[in-house]
Amino acid sequence: MGGEKTTSRFFTPGEEIISPVDDFDFPLLSMNSGDDEGSQDSWDSLVDQRRRDAVFREVLQSYDQLRTRIGSLTDAKNKILSYTPGAWIENVGGMTLSDYDVPKTTSLLLIGPKGSGKSSLVNRISKVFENDKFASERAQVTYNSSVGDGTYFLQEYTIPRGVRHGELVIRRSDSSSLRNRMRCKARKIGCEPSVIRKVNFVIFVVDGLAVLKSMEGDSDVEKQYDQIVATTFNCPYLSFRDDKPVVVVTHGDLLSLTDRARIRTYLGELLGIPPAKQIFDIPESSDPENELIIIDMLRYCLEHADRNLSCKSCARNKGFRVSVMAFLNLLLVLGIAIIAFKMQHLNAHRIPKSNSHVDWRAIRHLWLD
């Protein structure tokens, strides 16, 4: 971190990984009341740098921990295969499974910039749970994102906010002619949206190569990818209460382990999430370590999907509150109408008495003459 340049290289077993801040010697600063603003800035910079170093080392250790957990791969895979929606609900507040609105299918939405590796991730996840390693890939992969248009139709993949299988996706950047062609294509293939499913959690996919380029770039164009990632990630529609999406970094097989750890550390600071626990590095490989990372990522998603299920009583209470408010509004309107009617009735009977006096003797000639 700190703007230093690191040459990318492939990781080999036994390789010594050096933290980007290992070469710096940090002196101990003592802050006195007479220190100026510059000393305060130096102290803050030192604290931030040491915090980044600690996070970077934690991320590096997570790769070592994977190697020690390879023996539990089968058990971890079976736990995912035996999962049913609502199985990992936390029984807090005296609530049980029957108190929650549990869906028939838990839906995870993959979202990310064009060419980030969403389709490749679908294929990687599928192969983890398929016995046939030679089975064809389920999702169409764009190998040159600068040529193709990417994925235009949402696809639902069954793996032992509403999404429809086969629904056409229209981007804001698409021209009117392209939109018309895609709509015609959807009609020709008979693509009719199917069942609407509620999204239970979100997987945010980013390209590790693009992130590294943005980290080390100086121009606004090179840093544009970071801005897109941060803006999209912080969209409130992708979060569930305080739970933000899980992040998957792809194309790590083209980077050194040091660069992969740097990317996760950088994204954690950029997005405000713990990189060692919520950012998963899933390269294009089929080794046991990569399968374990995929399983850990799925378990994180399913646990948080169950944790954020709405309770049935909340729905009932919401309907009850709406009914009560409607009833109170009706009473208020009726009360105003009754009061208005009473006031009008009282005004009609309250005729003011005249204080004028008629002298009949003085005007008797009007009818005697």
Side-chain angles (χ1 to χ4, degrees), residues 267-285:
L267 287 175
E269 187 170 359
L270 177 68
L271 305 178
I273 57 177
K277 299 179 180 179
Q278 200 169 343
I279 300 179
F280 296 86
D281 178 15
I282 302 179
E284 285 284 334
S285 60

Side-chain angles (χ1 to χ4, degrees), residues 103-122:
K104 295 181 179 179
T105 302
T106 299
S107 300
L108 306 177
L109 176 65
L110 272 68
I111 190 172
K114 177 183 175 182
S116 58
K118 298 180 291 296
S119 299
S120 298
L121 179 61
V122 169

Side-chain angles (χ1 to χ4, degrees), residues 214-230:
S214 184
M215 288 169 53
E216 299 182 342
D218 297 327
S219 64
D220 294 337
V221 177
E222 292 175 324
K223 293 184 176 298
Q224 187 177 10
Y225 191 83
D226 283 357
Q227 299 173 0
I228 295 175
V229 168

Side-chain angles (χ1 to χ4, degrees), residues 293-304:
I293 296 175
I294 293 175
I295 292 175
D296 288 345
M297 183 270 296
L298 290 177
R299 178 163 182 171
Y300 183 97
C301 295
L302 295 176
E303 285 179 348
H304 285 255

Side-chain angles (χ1 to χ4, degrees), residues 52-214:
R52 293 190 188 98
D53 184 38
V55 173
F56 178 82
R57 293 178 185 276
E58 182 184 7
V59 172
L60 278 179
Q61 291 174 0
S62 66
Y63 292 99
D64 294 331
Q65 294 171 357
L66 278 174
R67 301 186 186 95
T68 62
R69 295 174 50 218
I70 294 301
S72 63
L73 177 60
T74 302
D75 293 338
K77 186 184 299 186
N78 291 334
K79 189 171 183 63
I80 296 294
L81 292 174
S82 62
Y83 166 82
T84 56
W88 295 342
I89 285 178
E90 296 179 353
N91 294 327
V92 295
M95 301 180 65
T96 60
L97 180 62
S98 60
D99 296 320
Y100 290 91
D101 186 12
V102 181
K104 295 181 179 179
T105 302
T106 299
S107 300
L108 306 177
L109 176 65
L110 272 68
I111 190 172
K114 177 183 175 182
S116 58
K118 298 180 291 296
S119 299
S120 298
L121 179 61
V122 169
N123 295 329
R124 292 256 61 83
I125 295 174
S126 298
K127 287 186 177 297
V128 170
F129 299 99
E130 292 177 355
N131 295 326
D132 186 5
K133 298 299 181 182
F134 300 98
S136 60
E137 295 183 341
R138 302 178 66 184
Q140 174 64 52
V141 177
T142 303
Y143 286 97
N144 188 355
S145 58
S146 61
V147 176
D149 294 325
T151 302
Y152 267 95
F153 294 89
L154 291 176
Q155 300 295 324
E156 179 178 315
Y157 301 93
T158 303
I159 297 186
R161 250 158 240 244
V163 173
R164 299 189 189 189
H165 176 71
E167 185 174 12
L168 175 63
V169 179
I170 298 296
R171 303 183 180 95
R172 291 184 178 180
S173 59
D174 294 339
S175 62
S176 58
S177 59
L178 178 58
R179 296 185 182 188
N180 293 333
R181 291 200 305 269
M182 295 306 300
R183 290 192 180 99
C184 292
K185 182 178 180 180
R187 287 193 293 268
K188 288 180 180 179
I189 63 177
C191 182
E192 294 295 335
S194 55
V195 178
I196 297 178
R197 297 195 187 279
K198 181 180 179 180
V199 175
N200 301 109
F201 204 68
V202 176
I203 302 174
F204 191 76
V205 186
V206 298
D207 179 7
L209 290 171
V211 174
L212 183 62
K213 183 178 179 180
S214 184

